[in-house]
Amino acid sequence: AQKVIQVWSTTSRQEGEKLTLDCSYKTSQVLYHLFWYKHLLSGEMVLLIRQMPSTIAIERSGRYSVVFQKSRKSISLVISTLQPDDSGKYFCALWEPQQGTGSKLSFGKGAKLTVSP
Amino acid sequence: NAGVIQTPRHKVTGKGQEATLWCEPISGHSAVFWYRQTIVQGLEFLTYFRNQAPIDDSGMPKERFSAQMPNQSHSTLKIQSTQPQDSAVYLCASSLDLGGAETLYFGSGTRLTVL
């Protein structure tokens, strides 16, 4: 069963707009972390945001922020003032501790964003 | 710090041939992960090493796929008798793995195409 669900698989926006990418997750763990990554055309996966359940609902990093609704198991990535360089694929990920085996990240299927000038 | 290095960037094999993918984790990182990315399945976890020991290979196909980490500076993912459905981008990542949710640092990936 998919642990991380991203609804939008592809979307297009104009430069200057604001975009929200939704992500929901399933976990029975108390301690877990959530991440948003951007997959660059070069192949690299770049960390954008890290959210822990114990912190405030919104964390910001430059033009990236999240809306975290713990009770709904939802974390949305908000990108303000879109730029063409924001084009790429965005992945939501869930980290859960694994009994006896360390930890593992589960990823959503990703959302491809195209920003036009 | 050069980041996680994966080679080759692109690999094309014929059906039935063997493919070996290489990963050099960030120096000092004790955890190495392998993921596979396809359009259909998204990003799938394959396997995970900690201090060179295999910890979790629950995502590895039972046949034809194997992963090793002979030393702390590199890991390999080997696919025997490659099939067209093995075509994907294979991503390697490393982290400090101190017991918490350390950030994973990904390499640029190896795009495998099986003809």
Side-chain angles (χ1 to χ4, degrees):
Chain A
Q2 195 79 7
K3 280 184 157 301
V4 180
I5 300 165
Q6 292 181 247
V7 177
W8 288 359
S9 59
T10 184
T11 187
S12 300
R13 290 289 188 275
Q14 294 290 319
E15 185 174 4
E17 292 184 342
K18 177 180 170 181
L19 172 71
T20 299
L21 296 173
D22 296 319
C23 172
S24 60
Y25 58 94
K26 298 175 183 177
T27 182
S28 57
Q29 300 283 349
V30 174
L31 294 175
Y32 60 88
H33 293 211
L34 297 157
F35 300 83
W36 275 99
Y37 286 90
K38 180 182 178 184
H39 195 196
L40 303 180
L41 290 176
S42 64
E44 288 178 274
M45 290 277 275
V46 177
L47 176 67
L48 301 176
I49 292 274
R50 171 176 165 160
Q51 174 73 54
M52 292 172 279
S54 59
T55 59
I56 59 172
I58 299 175
E59 291 201 7
R60 297 184 184 277
S61 177
R63 291 182 298 106
Y64 301 109
S65 61
V66 292
V67 177
F68 178 46
Q69 297 177 290
K70 186 177 175 181
S71 61
R72 295 182 57 189
K73 289 190 168 62
S74 162
I75 180 164
S76 300
L77 177 69
V78 181
I79 310 174
S80 61
T81 321
L82 284 169
Q83 300 170 2
D85 280 350
D86 292 326
S87 297
K89 197 158 187 180
Y90 292 80
F91 287 90
C92 178
L94 166 70
W95 173 89
E96 300 172 284
Q98 304 285 310
Q99 184 72 18
T101 60
S103 59
K104 185 161 67 179
L105 266 184
S106 301
F107 287 83
K109 292 193 176 183
K112 184 178 178 182
L113 168 65
T114 303
V115 180
S116 304
Chain B
N1 192 333
V4 176
I5 299 171
Q6 288 188 252
T7 54
R9 289 295 310 275
H10 303 274
K11 186 169 183 68
V12 180
T13 65
K15 182 179 175 181
Q17 292 183 328
E18 181 179 287
T20 300
L21 313 180
W22 295 74
C23 171
E24 181 181 327
I26 292 174
S27 178
H29 282 191
S30 57
V32 173
F33 301 78
W34 283 95
Y35 286 83
R36 173 170 67 179
Q37 184 183 12
T38 62
I39 293 174
V40 174
Q41 297 295 333
L43 202 56
E44 299 175 276
F45 167 81
L46 294 176
T47 189
Y48 155 48
F49 294 86
R50 187 201 291 150
N51 294 323
Q52 300 170 232
I55 301 298
D56 183 348
D57 65 354
S58 59
M60 291 277 275
K62 297 306 177 192
E63 297 177 356
R64 304 188 294 107
F65 281 66
S66 62
Q68 273 133 21
M69 191 159 185
N71 56 60
Q72 63 185 9
S73 64
H74 89 273
S75 174
T76 57
L77 179 68
K78 185 180 292 186
I79 309 171
Q80 295 176 312
S81 187
T82 54
Q83 303 296 310
Q85 60 265 31
D86 299 331
S87 297
V89 175
Y90 289 82
L91 288 164
C92 175
S94 72
S95 77
L96 288 169
D97 196 29
L98 299 173
E102 290 75 35
T103 302
L104 260 62
Y105 297 85
F106 284 83
S108 301
T110 294
R111 181 177 293 279
L112 174 66
T113 303
V114 182
L115 302 175

